[in-house]
Amino acid sequence: MAEQTIHFDDGAAYEQMMGIWSRFAGEIFLDWLAPPQGLRWIDIGCGNGAFTELLVERCGPLEVQGIDPSEEQLAFARTRPAARVAKFHQGNAMVLPFADGSFDAAVMALVLVFVPDPAKGVSEMVRVVAPGGLVVTYMWDMLGGGFPLDPIYDEIKAMGVAATRPPRMDASRIEALRGLWIGAGLEDVQTREITVHRTFASFDDFWTTNLKSPAIRPAVAAMKAGDVEMLISRVRAGLPADADGRITYSARAHAIRGRRPK
């Protein structure tokens, strides 16, 4: 496994590669949460604002503050309609620039495995919500075959090629999430799985879209041309197309919710 850091530096590319998946999962996640309207939210690791947009569209928030380390992602987020309500700031999930009890709800959408110290990230979520506030996340099942890029990652690994992965994939397990939430002193902790499906117009659409990944792109670029062709052939074989050439497959996320004690 490679040690390099994954840098998300292109908001438009992220939207095509992962933002659409995030929205599919985020819709189900918000249905499950069923939060009241008019809350003050913090969206930690907001990236290009894919989930932030859902918060603004569906939850009638009084306030939304988005935090992310990537200025390139934030620049894209600020172009979204959500920016009429949400404010976006560069920052670190483990050192949030807000006072204790500033929000009614704290969320991380597809972020926790990128936080070097997940327990510290969760403790910061707890700190910035008021007593009784929501602390929630959903994260792809990185170790159980639920990640949308697994059809490529699995074949890269089988070919013995190193590709960068997030530093704390273990934090995506349901048991790990529950342990983090209980360990942070949260109450009414509940979990669920979220399964979503996405259809690509063709294999070429699937391949070019997922090659926008800042982890997969450099791994493929470093391969010999013949190995790239072999990789494409192996991935194609694992994703049969329908009669119209479309590729449909699923991804799975783990979600958790809890409340800060009053």
Side-chain angles (χ1 to χ4, degrees), residues 113-114 139-148 150 153 165-166 168-173 252 254:
V113 298
F114 295 98
M139 186 65 235
W140 300 121
D141 181 5
M142 303 295 292
L143 298 178
F147 187 41
D150 276 345
Y153 265 120
R165 303 304 304 263
R168 294 303 306 269
M169 294 199 297
D170 58 301
S172 70
R173 295 182 298 111
R252 183 178 59 259
H254 292 151

Side-chain angles (χ1 to χ4, degrees), residues 74-234:
L74 292 170
F76 187 92
R78 293 184 184 110
T79 68
R80 290 182 178 274
R84 70 185 186 275
V85 173
K87 305 300 180 187
F88 296 100
H89 316 269
Q90 189 174 33
N92 185 331
M94 297 186 296
V95 189
L96 296 173
F98 296 99
D100 296 2
S102 296
F103 303 96
D104 304 306
V107 61
M108 284 187 182
L110 308 180
V111 172
L112 194 58
V113 298
F114 295 98
V115 179
D117 184 346
K120 176 60 176 174
V122 176
S123 72
E124 277 291 272
M125 296 173 80
V126 175
R127 180 185 67 79
V128 299
V129 297
L134 279 169
V135 177
V136 301
T137 194
Y138 66 96
M139 186 65 235
W140 300 121
D141 181 5
M142 303 295 292
L143 298 178
F147 187 41
L149 299 183
D150 276 345
I152 299 176
Y153 265 120
D154 289 348
E155 297 302 335
I156 285 178
K157 181 179 180 181
M159 292 175 65
V161 176
T164 307
R165 303 304 304 263
R168 294 303 306 269
M169 294 199 297
D170 58 301
S172 70
R173 295 182 298 111
I174 283 280
E175 298 82 1
L177 289 171
R178 187 178 292 111
L180 287 166
W181 258 240
I182 297 295
L186 293 162
E187 298 178 340
D188 189 26
V189 175
Q190 302 172 46
T191 61
R192 70 157 291 172
E193 287 190 352
I194 295 171
T195 299
V196 292
H197 302 269
R198 182 174 176 182
T199 297
F200 293 87
S202 63
F203 181 83
D204 288 344
D205 179 31
F206 163 87
W207 181 255
T208 57
T209 297
N210 288 302
L211 209 60
K212 297 177 188 294
S213 162
I216 288 178
R217 183 176 62 247
V220 173
M223 295 171 68
K224 296 178 180 179
D227 289 339
V228 173
E229 289 305 312
M230 180 183 295
L231 173 62
I232 291 173
S233 177
R234 293 173 66 119

